[in-house]
Amino acid sequence: MNKELFEAAEIAKFNPKELGEYWESLKNFRDWYSVMSTQLKKGREEGLKEGLEQGRKEECFKNAKKMKQAGIAFDVIAQVTGLSIGEIASL
C-alpha cells in the first residue's frame, strides 16, 4: 500500500511532458502485455490440441496392434482405425 502511495505521489510531481511520456509508456506496456497474454493463451490451446491429436494417434496404433495380434484382417483394422495398411503391417 505504501509503495502505491509513493508511486502516486511521484507521478503527481510530473510536469506535463513527463506525465505524457508516463501515460504513453503505460499504454505501450499494456498493449505489449495484452499481446503476450493472447499469444500465450493461443499457444496453450494449440499445444493442447496437438497433444490430444498425438494421443489419439497413439491409441489407434495401440488398438491396431492388438487387433493385428488377434488375427483381424488388415483392411478391417485400417477401416476401424484410419491407419494405412503399411502402418498396420509395420506394427
Side-chain angles (χ1 to χ4, degrees):
M1 178 74 172
N2 288 336
K3 182 180 178 185
E4 292 171 1
L5 291 174
F6 178 77
E7 288 176 2
E10 288 295 308
I11 293 168
K13 293 180 194 176
F14 287 171
N15 65 43
K17 181 181 180 215
E18 291 172 327
L19 192 57
E21 291 171 354
Y22 168 78
W23 287 116
E24 184 65 26
S25 173
L26 189 59
K27 179 191 174 301
N28 288 339
F29 171 77
R30 288 178 177 161
D31 290 347
W32 171 84
Y33 184 81
S34 176
V35 168
M36 294 306 286
S37 296
T38 301
Q39 290 303 314
L40 180 62
K41 182 180 177 186
K42 192 177 194 180
R44 285 183 179 153
E45 289 171 356
E46 289 175 5
L48 178 60
K49 183 179 175 184
E50 289 175 16
L52 289 172
E53 288 175 10
Q54 182 180 356
R56 286 186 191 112
K57 189 76 167 177
E58 289 173 4
E59 190 67 22
C60 283
F61 278 105
K62 180 179 162 187
N63 291 333
K65 187 174 184 177
K66 287 180 183 177
M67 287 187 270
K68 181 180 172 184
Q69 290 170 345
I72 297 174
F74 284 14
D75 61 328
V76 174
I77 298 172
Q79 193 174 35
V80 170
T81 63
L83 300 175
S84 69
I85 301 293
E87 289 172 318
I88 295 166
S90 68
L91 297 175

